[in-house]
């Protein structure tokens, strides 16, 4: 399974439980981190702090995150030959099963950081732990009154928080070393590719074993660490190695640094408030909604997460319902609006057609034709009125006779009906009727002019025919 | 077979509603261009009717001056001729009229007369100034008949009347 969705709260608690010690912190939005407990892991004195955590969790105001020690968990990069994420996810459990030292069915597991690998394959970081170890860890925490909603592989949380607090230079190998009272956890990664985690390791030697001076455990610890580092993929020549110490046993780092193989390129540093680092990292990761490597899953899933998932499903269903409803309403609303607009336009069209045509029954779709026919008939009935207001024949007659007088043309006969004009007349010059013809053209007539040679009286007789539409 | 939990039921219902919404939205989108074209056609028809109505109002206004007249009978052409063509008796012949709007009739009269041009002009001017007016529709004129100072004309005059 991939990283689950976790509720976003205003605060989150982180619990770092060692063999005998407990560190409990509260992180709030805005970056405030408060230490609630840093001491012996005993139920009675913890009562007030655990009650606060339980109350905040019950009210949904906060989440409690705890870590599963690296010594009880398993982490590996799994690579598939597939490049499609969905197909790759399906084969990841089978590939993990091959690598696990115990049957997959007895384990709970999570995949995170799923992404295409460098060789056009698909890779993911698998975290797994035996169900019995998870139940045992939950029981340990439960005995202190703590019921974590998130139980994650501690190495992942350590790596992420170290990255956040001290950014990693590109050509650097980083080892985040957590020294607990009964265990050591190493998160090894490289600055290449923006800071990629390479591997996570757990060693069952902690401050309790490493504290006595010249303890053989120190050599044993250093031997184991060097063995792990030698097994890493070969890095670039001369790559710097940065050690970051944290955990309740971080003050014991000096003899360990001395015991490790050193050189110019190896540097050691302690993270801020190292004893609180893991608890702080857990709380801040939970606050940020990061649940990579969450191993409290399946039937062990915390009720708060189950409720969150159920709420998510309900919200998804509601959103889907609202989206569907909105689409439905939009589509139906559009149809209703369309029908109403169409009806309204049709009613107005019909009413105007009836008013203009004077007809009550007009067939659908014939409104314009009916009105045009009615208005044509009406225009014919009104034609005598418009004609009477504009007496074209009388006006033109006066203009024609005036033009003839001006042009010294004698009109012998004239026939005019508004559209057809015939003038017969005589002039004393062949060209004298041309100006008359020109003036008639200005009145809108199309003119045909025919002339006869002058007779005995020396007059040129002509016939002028004009038509006008 | 998986059990039908309330979550699945809710999701199923939501999916059904979303699917119905999707189908309806797709249907509406599919018929969008047809629907809009239909509305555009109706709007254009309405605009055509408005234009026709405006044109018709203009023509209709020609009726108003006639309806406003106190007398809706044109004056007698005989009387007009007596006043403007003294000593001349034109020949009158009724021609076929035609129906006009609002119960009006267009009445046509053919007038044949031999007269001096000036007297004829006075007759036509008096006819045109009458209310309702006599409108000259056609004219046939021959000059110098029967004498050098007269013209022979045949006029077709039209006047509107309402009984």
């Amino acid at each position: 399974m991939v990283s689950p969705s976790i509720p976003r709260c205003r605060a989150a608690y982180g619990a770092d439980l060692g063999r005998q010690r407990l560190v409990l912190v509260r992180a709030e939005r805005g970056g405030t981190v408060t230490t609630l407990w840093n001491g012996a892991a005993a139920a009675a004195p913890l009562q007030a702090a655990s009650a606060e955590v339980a109350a905040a969790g019950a009210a949904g105001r906060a989440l409690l995150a705890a870590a599963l020690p690296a010594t009880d968990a398993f982490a590996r990069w799994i690579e598939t030959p597939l490049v499609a994420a969905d197909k790759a996810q399906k084969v990841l459990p089978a590939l993990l099963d091959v690598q696990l030292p115990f049957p997959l069915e007895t384990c709970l597991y999570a995949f995170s950081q799923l992404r295409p690998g460098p060789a056009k394959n698909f890779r993911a970081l698998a975290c797994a732990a035996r169900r019995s170890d998870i139940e045992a860890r939950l029981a340990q925490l439960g005995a202190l009154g703590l019921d974590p909603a998130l139980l994650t592989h501690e190495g992942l949380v350590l790596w992420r928080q170290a990255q956040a607090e001290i950014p990693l230079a590109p050509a650097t190998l980083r080892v985040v070393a957590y020294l607990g009272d009964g265990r050591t956890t190493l998160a090894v990664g490289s600055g290449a590719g923006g800071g990629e985690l390479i591997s996570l390791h757990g060693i069952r030697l902690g401050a309790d074993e490493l504290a006595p001076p010249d303890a053989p455990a120190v050599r044993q610890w250093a031997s184991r660490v060097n063995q792990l580092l030698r097994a890493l993929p070969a890095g670039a020549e001369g790559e710097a190695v940065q050690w970051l110490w944290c955990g309740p046993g971080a003050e014991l780092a000096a003899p360990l640094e001395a015991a490790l193989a050193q050189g110019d390129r190896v540097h050691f540093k302690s993270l801020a408030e190292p004893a609180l680092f893991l608890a702080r990292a857990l709380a801040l990761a939970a606050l940020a909604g990061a649940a990579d490597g969450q191993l409290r899953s399946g039937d062990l899933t915390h009720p708060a997460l189950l409720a969150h998932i159920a709420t998510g499903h309900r919200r998804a269903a509601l959103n889907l319902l609202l989206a569907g409803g909105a689409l439905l309403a939009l589509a139906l609303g559009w149809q209703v609006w369309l029908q109403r607009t169409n009806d309204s336009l049709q009613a107005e069209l019909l009413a105007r057609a009836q008013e203009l045509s004077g007809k009550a029954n007009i067939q659908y779709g014939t409104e314009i034709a009916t009105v045009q026919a009615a208005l044509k008939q009406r225009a014919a009935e009104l034609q005598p009125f418009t004609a009477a207001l504009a007496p074209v024949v009388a006006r033109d007659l006066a203009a024609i006779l005036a033009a003839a007088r001006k042009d010294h043309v004698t009109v012998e006969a004239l026939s005019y009906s508004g559209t057809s004009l015939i003038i017969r007349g005589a002039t004393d010059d062949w060209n004298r009727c041309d100006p008359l013809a020109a003036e008639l053209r200005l009145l809108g007539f199309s003119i045909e002019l025919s002339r006869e040679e002058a007779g005995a009286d020396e007059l040129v007789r002509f016939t002028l025919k004009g038509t006008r539409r | 077979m998986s059990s039908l939990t309330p979550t699945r039921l809710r999701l199923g219902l939501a999916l059904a509603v979303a699917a119905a919404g999707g189908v309806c939205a797709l249907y509406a989108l599919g018929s969008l261009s047809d629907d809009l074209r239909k509305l555009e056609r109706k709007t254009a028809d309405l605009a055509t009717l408005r234009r026709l109505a405006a044109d018709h109002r203009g023509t209709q206004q020609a009726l108003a001056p006639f309806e406003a007249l106190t007398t809706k009978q044109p004056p007698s052409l005989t009387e007009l001729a007596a006043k403007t063509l003294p000593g001349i008796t034109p020949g009158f012949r009724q021609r076929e009229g035609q129906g006009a709007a609002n119960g009006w009739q267009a009445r046509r009269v053919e007038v044949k007369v031999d007269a001096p041009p000036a007297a004829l002009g006075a007759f036509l001017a008096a006819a045109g100034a009458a209310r309702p007016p006599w409108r000259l529709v056609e004219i046939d004129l021959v000059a110098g008949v029967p004498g050098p100072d007269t013209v022979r004309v045949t006029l077709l005059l039209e006047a509107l009347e309402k009984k």
Side-chain angles (χ1 to χ4, degrees):
Chain A
M1 65 178 292
V2 293
S3 307
S5 153
I6 63 171
R8 292 301 190 96
C9 300
R10 276 180 287 177
Y13 295 91
D16 171 15
L17 176 62
R19 191 183 285 156
Q20 291 148 3
R21 292 179 60 82
L22 173 75
V23 179
L24 183 62
V25 303
R26 181 180 65 230
E28 290 168 76
R29 294 208 178 277
T32 313
V33 178
T34 310
T35 306
L36 299 183
W37 188 263
N38 183 5
L46 251 177
Q47 209 167 11
S50 61
E52 179 194 319
V53 175
R61 291 195 310 270
L63 282 178
L64 172 63
L68 192 67
T71 49
D72 294 338
F74 171 95
R76 287 278 190 290
W77 281 101
I78 305 281
E79 297 198 350
T80 77
L82 303 167
V83 287
D86 54 341
K87 287 180 183 169
Q89 280 184 37
K90 286 179 187 167
V91 301
L92 285 174
L95 294 173
L96 174 64
D97 194 14
V98 175
Q99 298 210 23
L100 275 176
F102 17 75
L104 185 66
E105 297 75 36
T106 63
C107 297
L108 293 173
Y109 54 89
F111 298 102
S112 61
Q113 302 182 38
L114 287 80
R115 57 181 171 232
K120 291 191 176 177
N121 55 2
F122 194 89
R123 65 202 302 250
L125 181 66
C127 293
R130 281 186 297 186
R131 183 188 180 84
S132 56
D133 290 336
I134 293 170
E135 286 172 338
R137 187 67 171 172
L138 290 174
Q140 282 175 344
L141 289 159
L144 298 173
L146 300 172
D147 181 18
L150 300 173
L151 188 69
T152 52
H153 190 301
E154 64 184 352
L156 271 179
V157 183
L158 289 170
W159 176 256
R160 186 186 297 108
Q161 187 59 25
Q163 287 278 82
E165 294 191 6
I166 302 177
L168 179 55
T172 307
L173 183 78
R174 170 178 281 181
V175 181
V176 182
Y178 168 86
L179 285 175
D181 53 4
R183 70 186 192 274
T184 300
T185 301
L186 301 177
V188 186
S190 166
E196 187 174 71
L197 179 68
I198 297 172
S199 58
L200 301 173
H201 310 278
I203 302 171
R204 292 185 191 279
L205 292 170
D208 292 349
E209 291 82 11
L210 300 170
D214 300 323
V218 173
R219 285 191 300 279
Q220 195 186 343
W221 182 93
S223 163
R224 176 76 181 121
V225 169
N226 283 327
Q227 186 188 353
L228 289 172
L229 295 181
R230 278 195 300 273
L232 290 176
E237 193 67 30
E239 194 178 51
V241 180
Q242 180 190 55
W243 279 78
L244 296 177
W245 298 107
C246 63
E251 71 270 17
L252 301 172
L256 299 179
E257 289 172 8
L260 286 167
Q262 290 189 40
D264 289 345
R265 58 194 184 91
V266 181
H267 304 280
F268 296 96
K269 193 173 181 178
S270 188
L271 285 153
E273 296 184 280
L276 307 178
F277 184 78
L278 178 55
R280 183 168 79 236
L282 287 163
L284 289 172
L287 201 60
D292 289 359
Q294 152 74 328
L295 293 168
R296 186 175 181 182
S297 58
D299 59 343
L300 293 182
T301 304
H302 192 277
L305 289 193
L306 288 176
H308 172 67
I309 292 165
T311 305
H313 285 162
R314 273 198 300 277
R315 195 167 292 156
L318 184 66
N319 287 343
L320 202 59
L321 190 72
L322 288 175
L327 271 179
L328 205 59
L330 203 65
L332 292 178
W334 166 251
Q335 290 297 329
V336 168
W337 178 84
L338 203 64
Q339 191 60 48
R340 282 194 181 169
T341 308
N342 192 49
D343 289 351
S344 156
L345 282 174
Q346 179 59 33
E348 191 178 348
L349 198 63
L350 185 65
R352 280 189 176 266
Q354 285 172 335
E355 181 192 342
L356 286 171
S357 69
K359 290 182 179 175
N361 294 323
I362 298 176
Q363 211 176 343
Y364 178 87
T366 64
E367 295 86 359
I368 298 288
T370 306
V371 168
Q372 280 174 331
L375 291 187
K376 192 176 174 186
Q377 187 186 342
R378 184 77 174 159
E381 291 173 357
L382 287 168
Q383 192 276 333
F385 296 93
T386 50
L389 291 175
V392 176
V393 175
R395 184 197 65 202
D396 290 351
L397 182 65
I400 291 164
L401 294 176
R405 248 195 320 277
K406 189 184 83 180
D407 297 333
H408 304 287
V409 171
T410 305
V411 174
E412 295 175 344
L414 180 147
S415 175
Y416 180 42
S417 67
T419 55
S420 171
L421 169 70
I422 300 172
I423 301 173
R424 280 195 300 278
T427 63
D428 56 1
D429 187 276
W430 179 265
N431 296 324
R432 204 178 282 284
C433 50
D434 287 337
L436 176 62
E439 285 178 66
L440 292 178
R441 284 193 187 97
L442 287 177
L443 287 173
F445 290 98
S446 120
I447 298 295
E448 267 180 53
L449 177 62
S450 58
R451 283 171 276 213
E452 295 170 11
E453 291 295 334
D457 56 1
E458 295 187 351
L459 290 175
V460 176
R461 293 205 148 60
F462 70 91
T463 303
L464 200 149
K465 291 182 180 173
T467 51
R468 185 164 63 182
R469 284 185 189 176
Chain B
M1 191 175 149
S2 58
S3 59
L4 205 60
T5 61
T7 303
R8 280 168 192 251
L9 260 177
R10 275 194 291 267
L11 266 174
L13 175 71
L15 270 173
V17 172
V23 167
C24 285
L26 281 177
Y27 173 78
L29 273 177
S31 60
L32 184 66
S33 64
D34 279 351
D35 294 336
L36 289 178
R37 206 176 302 124
K38 202 189 284 183
L39 287 187
E40 275 172 19
R41 199 171 56 238
K42 285 222 187 305
T43 309
D45 282 357
L46 210 51
T48 304
L49 279 191
R50 289 197 186 106
R51 186 176 46 76
L52 286 174
D55 291 349
H56 177 64
R57 267 196 301 277
T59 313
Q60 190 81 10
Q61 280 168 1
L63 192 61
F66 290 88
E67 293 290 5
L69 292 172
T70 49
T71 170
K72 294 182 173 56
Q73 289 290 323
S76 156
L77 285 174
T78 311
E79 289 172 13
L80 282 176
K83 285 180 190 166
T84 56
L85 300 169
I88 300 168
T89 309
F92 297 102
R93 189 159 72 92
Q94 296 292 328
R95 296 276 295 268
E96 191 183 355
Q98 65 174 39
N102 283 27
W104 287 79
Q105 283 286 319
R107 183 177 151 205
R108 287 189 165 187
V109 176
E110 189 181 270
V111 183
K112 286 192 175 181
V113 63
D114 296 337
L120 184 65
F123 172 71
L124 283 175
R131 288 293 174 267
W134 283 99
R135 178 175 72 93
L136 179 62
V137 179
E138 282 177 21
I139 180 170
D140 281 304
L141 174 151
V142 181
V145 180
D149 298 327
T150 56
V151 292
R152 172 166 290 168
V153 292
T154 303
L155 307 170
L156 181 61
L157 297 170
E158 180 186 87
L160 285 154
E161 65 179 3
K162 194 175 187 179
K163 293 177 180 169

